[in-house]
Amino acid sequence: MKRALLIVMACGLFLAAEAQKQERALTRNEELNRAYCRGLFASADGTFFDMMDPKVSAGSQGFMNILDFLEGRVPNLTLRKGEDFLRVPYIRGNRASIFLNEIPINPGMLTGIPITDVAMIKVIRGPFAGGAGSATGGAVAIYTINSDSEE
């Protein structure tokens, strides 16, 4: 009798625990993170810009490149002219790495990428293990529109 009662109680507790689990809806940032980011880039930390959102993309018109768009929109991100007179991102005084679709690039390569081809920008402000050197400057990850997300 005790064994049957224990089994019934255990089943009841299990069912109650399962009823507590509910799937919550993902935020737009979480959806973008799942759709584009892999490996070291997949952490939820960072500042996201959904460039496919008409409100955001309308504000990006008129900028020469992505870095110019980001200046003033990301706390502690500044742009400085480097040795080759290209604007380089710095986060909290440390040079940030730049990635295009998770491949490291130099700032000069951004001039050839139209802002209209960018799907998402993720700025990781803390130390980033995927960056070059000491990686203390964080990262600017730029993702172009892939064929699955074109409308």
Side-chain angles (χ1 to χ4, degrees), residues 28-136:
R28 181 64 179 153
N29 288 349
E30 290 171 334
E31 288 176 9
L32 289 171
N33 204 34
R34 280 191 180 179
Y36 288 97
C37 302
R38 303 284 178 257
L40 295 172
F41 295 88
S43 76
D45 296 337
T47 303
F48 291 84
F49 293 92
D50 180 2
M51 301 304 287
M52 294 185 291
D53 181 358
K55 295 174 191 171
V56 177
S57 63
S60 69
Q61 302 306 313
F63 288 98
M64 295 301 288
N65 68 35
I66 297 299
L67 295 178
D68 293 334
F69 167 76
L70 291 175
E71 189 172 35
R73 288 181 168 82
V74 178
N76 301 314
L77 180 119
T78 57
L79 297 178
R80 300 180 193 165
K81 286 198 177 177
E83 302 166 357
D84 48 6
F85 300 103
L86 293 172
R87 296 186 73 183
V88 178
Y90 281 79
I91 300 175
R92 296 183 183 124
N94 297 310
R95 185 174 177 159
S97 301
I98 303 172
F99 297 88
L100 178 64
N101 296 327
E102 301 179 359
I103 299 170
I105 63 169
N106 67 36
M109 297 176 77
L110 292 176
T111 58
I113 301 168
I115 292 180
T116 55
D117 287 352
V118 176
M120 178 185 81
I121 305 168
K122 182 177 182 180
V123 180
I124 303 168
R125 292 191 310 238
F128 181 66
S134 63
T136 58

